[in-house]
Amino acid sequence: MARTPQSTALLISLSVLAFLQTSYAGGIAIYWGQNGIEGTLTETCNTGKYSYVNIAFLNKFGNGRTPEINLGGHCDPASNGCTSLSTDIRNCQNRGIKVMLSIGGGDGSYSLSSSKDAQKVANYLWNNFLGGQSSSRPLGDAVLDGIDFNIELGSTKYWDNLARALSGFSKRARKVYLTAAPQCAFPDRFLGAALNTGLFDYVWVQFYNNPPCQYTTGNTNKLLNSWNQWTSSINSRIFLGLPASSAAAGSGFIPANVLTSQILPVIKRSPKYGGVMLWSYYDDQSGYTSTIKSSV
């Protein structure tokens, strides 16, 4: 049957609506592994709240260091006690959740000394956490979805080389996702060059513990101005990085009513909007995460 102009217009309208719904729908990302009272990885994923989980942190690597992972008391990697997390990781992935290994963090010893060192670290990550092969995989035989760059210490050099090296492992059958958690002050001094490669899929910008670009009581301007700078400068899905409670970070917590009525409606207009990243030391009891989930 031939389409009438009216039916064609309706089809176009429905297509545009579907595009808008897809473009502006967001998810919630969270860091897991830095406090023993936050629950297990399986419990975290089974809440149904999260689309992305960063296992944190591999906080010792590079420049000749023997890599070490620190999961905040959840398990002891020194005795291969974290290999059982493979079951948890697969459970999360079976729920459609992408699980990344976060490297770096605010407490550790890490840096890259050269482009060759960056390639060496990339090879280690591929063989021990991604699709490669190693006899001593710290998290067992589960294959993580990618690597998260949470770089806050050490040298500012060669992170772009590491991103390129990791991206080189992506295949049609299995993509290596790259994510990053820069500070909201633009450009991030550690990750600026890496983000300019255009290789990062998701960027959760830390809008907390950063007074020049975070929310302060009654004032959303600094945050929104910073958000606009990030979305106009970086070709990735951008997430609003926040503490999940007022106790989870020094400053920058946004009350739920302000977040859902004054901030999310504005930032969701951007086609680069990805959702919200929550930094949490424990499962909040106030319903904050559930409120955000219903709004992203």
Side-chain angles (χ1 to χ4, degrees):
M1 182 175 67
R3 288 178 181 163
T4 65
Q6 291 84 359
S7 65
T8 300
L10 176 60
L11 180 62
I12 293 173
S13 297
L14 290 175
S15 298
V16 170
L17 178 61
F19 170 77
L20 290 175
Q21 290 173 333
T22 301
S23 297
Y24 299 144
I28 299 180
I30 195 167
Y31 280 82
W32 177 90
Q34 288 303 287
N35 193 291
I37 65 172
E38 65 192 339
T40 68
L41 181 56
T42 287
E43 289 170 341
T44 297
C45 291
N46 285 354
T47 64
K49 297 175 181 177
Y50 309 110
S51 301
Y52 313 89
V53 174
N54 298 307
I55 297 177
F57 292 102
L58 183 79
N59 66 347
K60 184 177 180 181
F61 63 88
N63 199 19
R65 302 175 182 90
T66 299
E68 292 182 7
I69 193 168
N70 181 337
L71 298 183
H74 282 282
C75 54
D76 180 14
S79 62
N80 292 322
C82 298
T83 57
S84 61
L85 284 175
S86 275
T87 301
D88 299 63
I89 292 166
R90 282 190 284 265
N91 169 70
C92 296
Q93 292 170 329
N94 288 339
R95 288 177 164 270
I97 299 169
K98 288 184 172 59
V99 184
M100 267 70 69
L101 172 71
S102 187
I103 63 173
D107 182 18
S109 178
Y110 56 86
S111 63
L112 300 173
S113 60
S114 65
S115 58
K116 289 184 177 179
D117 190 33
Q119 183 65 61
K120 184 177 180 180
V121 171
N123 292 343
Y124 170 81
L125 294 171
W126 169 254
N127 287 319
N128 287 275
F129 298 98
L130 301 170
Q133 305 248 340
S134 172
S135 60
S136 57
R137 292 172 67 95
L139 303 181
D141 61 0
V143 177
L144 299 181
D145 294 289
I147 301 297
D148 174 63
F149 288 49
N150 191 308
I151 308 302
E152 303 180 34
L153 303 172
S155 172
T156 62
K157 297 181 178 180
Y158 306 112
W159 300 111
D160 55 334
N161 297 88
L162 180 60
R164 292 188 185 95
L166 287 167
S167 180
F169 289 118
S170 277
K171 306 296 181 186
R172 180 175 296 180
R174 180 174 286 275
K175 174 181 173 61
V176 175
Y177 286 87
L178 297 182
T179 67
Q183 307 295 314
C184 59
F186 186 90
D188 183 86
R189 71 187 189 96
F190 289 101
L191 292 173
L195 292 172
N196 283 338
T197 64
L199 296 173
F200 286 80
D201 301 282
Y202 310 114
V203 177
W204 6 87
V205 183
Q206 297 183 50
F207 288 93
Y208 54 92
N209 294 340
N210 282 288
C213 47
Q214 70 183 27
Y215 170 78
T216 54
T217 302
N219 185 354
T220 63
N221 290 336
K222 291 187 291 185
L223 185 152
L224 293 176
N225 288 339
S226 180
W227 172 269
N228 288 336
Q229 186 169 33
W230 278 97
T231 55
S232 63
S233 304
I234 300 298
N235 190 25
S236 306
R237 287 280 183 175
I238 309 296
F239 284 64
L240 182 73
L242 301 173
S245 72
S246 56
S251 62
F253 177 72
I254 304 174
N257 64 315
V258 175
L259 182 62
T260 57
S261 66
Q262 298 181 42
I263 295 176
L264 285 177
V266 176
I267 68 175
K268 287 171 68 175
R269 297 171 188 165
S270 169
K272 293 181 182 177
Y273 168 76
V276 174
M277 181 276 284
L278 291 176
W279 176 260
S280 177
Y281 294 111
Y282 45 81
D283 183 31
D284 71 282
Q285 301 298 312
S286 64
Y288 188 73
T289 305
S290 296
T291 299
I292 292 175
K293 181 174 174 58
S294 67
S295 305
V296 294

